[in-house]
Amino acid sequence: MAKKTMVYQCHQCGSETSRWVGQCPGCGAWSTLEELSKVPITRQEHYTNYSGTLSTVQPLSEVQSNTESRLPSGLSELDRVLGGGLVAGSVVLIGGNPGIGKSTLLLQALAAMGIAQQGRVLYLTGEESLAQIHLRAQRLNLSKAPVRLLADTLIERSLAVAEKEQPLVMVVDSIQTLYSEQLQSAPGTVTQVRESAGQLLRYAKKNGVAVILVGHVTKDGALAGPRVLEHMVDTVLYFEGDDGERLRVLRAVKNRFGAVNELGVFAMTEQGLQEVNNPSAIFLARGKEPVPGSAVTVIREGSRPLLVEVQALVDDSHLASPRRVTVGLEPNRLAMLLAIIHRHGAMMPSAQDVFINVVGGVRVNETGADLAILAAIVSSLRDAPLLQDLILFGEVGLTGEIRPVPGGEERLAAAVKHGFKQAILPRANLPKYIPKEVHITPVNRVSEALEVLKN
Ligand code: TYD
Ligand code: MG
């Protein structure tokens, strides 16, 4: 038996050191190292005298694919993000700020499942008491729902109950509250979270149960606990939204069984979460009067084109280095666009504060919104509103060219459906059949686009 040694692992990034230090050398976070006992790697070749049964090697072509059966979750927006429902034996991790509505979402999903009627859904709560969950259920009008509840925090005991219950879907709220009696450390520590997740993973695979884990997020928005949790599970979803706002967006950041970046949109109401099947309509709830600094674009999130409004405010700065603030957009993208406006549009936003906001709490991760952001900035700078029925999309390159984006026709079709009558888009995105409801201005260069926007 090899001798155990102690190492210290960061619970944010998972990097290890041999000594305890205040600041993690991996990610720079403070006081995140925790003790971890570890059996060192030995140099001996253990496999030469391996005595257990051996698994067989198979040619890829002969592997039987068992077409994974999907279990609809009862909420179509959640199914969309999952890639068509829950897969038996898979583990899904849902992260989100406290109070965003994770528990509400999962209780509603469980209650809406067809298999709930047969008593095959289990909600394991370590965070709230059964009475608290009952209160929530009353609020959601679900107090009669056939959801089976278990309040426990010891993972071994909970799984022993689950083996008896034989659920098809099990929710664990939350993974940070569970602990294993195999370990001495406190609940919520890296080792405990990892051990509990590991046991749940094995339980899910062995019994073909779809397990949904709720995970807390840290102040800067990453899932708390070891990063390894994200690597262990099959699917990682984030539930996001502005605190004051009712809109909630569910996003897949990792999915072994579907596309990532798929969005599900919900609205938090007095009676729980309501699905929003046509989110563009909400993200576009604008006033009737055209105002400077507002532009509309179509982004593609997963399989669905989404119309969003981008707002810009350019204002004289009183600071030595003007402020550049973005909400829902990568700040570097803004810096780049400002440089392009300066160089290729001969306009001077350099002595001014620039604020960008993507309305409705949406995050824009793709370059298709570049042209609209640029138009919004220029509109605010010139104090001239854009046309109300104008849609723009396209990527803006550093050399001042406007590049095509994937799914041009689809984006245009979505805009036309929402009543947009003017479009500025990359020339290379010009569709073969132009819908007659819309007037299209194709552009190749930033200078061309700025010229068009003047009129
Ligand atoms: P919850 O699901 O407890 O959040 P989480 O599990 O992510 O911490 O949601 C709690 C918030 O949602 C709370 O601030 C109240 C609000 N809420 C409503 O607005 N309407 C409702 O019907 C319910 C159940 C909650
Ligand atoms: Mg909760």
Side-chain angles (χ1 to χ4, degrees), residues 97-104 136 139-140 268-272:
N97 287 331
I100 201 77
K102 301 178 294 295
S103 307
T104 308
R136 175 179 297 120
R139 203 167 160 188
L140 299 171
M268 180 61 95
T269 68
E270 275 309 301
Q271 280 87 40

Side-chain angles (χ1 to χ4, degrees), residues 103 127-128 136 173:
S103 307
E127 211 144 272
E128 293 166 306
R136 175 179 297 120
D173 191 2

Side-chain angles (χ1 to χ4, degrees), residues 389-391 412-423 431 433-440:
D389 57 358
L390 172 71
I391 188 101
L412 190 63
V416 169
K417 209 175 97 195
H418 281 92
F420 285 81
K421 297 203 164 48
Q422 320 271 339
Y433 305 103
I434 296 178
K436 59 179 183 314
E437 303 94 323
V438 60
H439 177 256
I440 299 181

Side-chain angles (χ1 to χ4, degrees), residues 94-108 123 127-128 135-141 173 214-216 239 243 246 248 267-273:
I94 296 191
N97 287 331
I100 201 77
K102 301 178 294 295
S103 307
T104 308
L105 175 76
L106 293 175
L107 187 61
Q108 282 185 250
Y123 190 111
E127 211 144 272
E128 293 166 306
L135 264 180
R136 175 179 297 120
Q138 268 181 342
R139 203 167 160 188
L140 299 171
N141 254 334
D173 191 2
V214 172
H216 289 284
F239 204 31
D243 283 345
R246 292 149 50 99
R248 302 281 187 271
M268 180 61 95
T269 68
E270 275 309 301
Q271 280 87 40
L273 291 159

Side-chain angles (χ1 to χ4, degrees), residues 132-338:
Q132 279 172 314
I133 296 189
H134 187 255
L135 264 180
R136 175 179 297 120
Q138 268 181 342
R139 203 167 160 188
L140 299 171
N141 254 334
L142 291 176
S143 47
K144 297 266 181 312
V147 176
R148 310 206 21 109
L149 303 176
L150 171 66
D152 205 338
T153 47
L154 181 61
I155 180 71
E156 285 85 6
R157 196 165 55 207
S158 311
L159 286 179
V161 176
E163 289 250 299
K164 280 221 192 80
E165 273 283 314
Q166 299 192 325
L168 288 172
V169 177
M170 177 164 142
V171 165
V172 177
D173 191 2
S174 65
I175 183 73
Q176 274 92 358
T177 54
L178 293 184
Y179 74 100
S180 161
E181 55 187 1
Q182 320 279 332
L183 302 167
Q184 261 99 54
S185 47
T189 52
V190 190
T191 32
Q192 285 288 8
V193 169
R194 186 153 60 179
E195 174 61 26
S196 305
Q199 291 199 28
L200 281 161
L201 212 74
R202 286 190 293 277
Y203 164 77
K205 301 277 180 260
K206 179 172 151 237
N207 298 286
V209 181
V211 173
I212 306 176
L213 310 177
V214 172
H216 289 284
V217 295
T218 56
K219 264 188 245 106
D220 41 333
L223 275 161
R227 256 286 141 82
V228 285
L229 209 55
E230 290 193 24
H231 301 303
M232 284 162 85
V233 301
D234 300 298
T235 304
V236 179
L237 309 181
Y238 275 93
F239 204 31
E240 306 165 327
D242 284 340
D243 283 345
E245 299 243 5
R246 292 149 50 99
L247 278 187
R248 302 281 187 271
V249 176
L250 188 66
R251 178 195 298 278
V253 291
K254 163 182 171 178
N255 196 351
R256 289 200 181 132
F257 308 109
V260 288
N261 272 344
E262 196 74 70
L263 280 192
V265 184
F266 298 87
M268 180 61 95
T269 68
E270 275 309 301
Q271 280 87 40
L273 291 159
Q274 215 123 62
E275 301 186 68
V276 178
N277 294 318
N278 182 9
S280 298
I282 291 197
F283 294 139
L284 279 185
R286 298 198 286 173
K288 289 251 180 309
E289 288 297 307
V291 282
S294 157
V296 180
T297 188
V298 196
I299 55 173
R300 270 214 326 184
E301 284 289 353
S303 58
R304 171 166 61 180
L306 202 61
L307 277 78
V308 290
E309 180 191 351
V310 182
Q311 296 181 337
L313 177 65
V314 182
D315 197 16
D316 291 338
S317 181
H318 304 290
L319 302 171
S321 56
R323 308 219 316 147
R324 301 282 134 94
V325 181
T326 60
V327 178
L329 179 78
E330 169 64 29
N332 289 337
R333 200 88 211 148
L334 171 63
M336 205 186 87
L337 287 170
L338 289 177

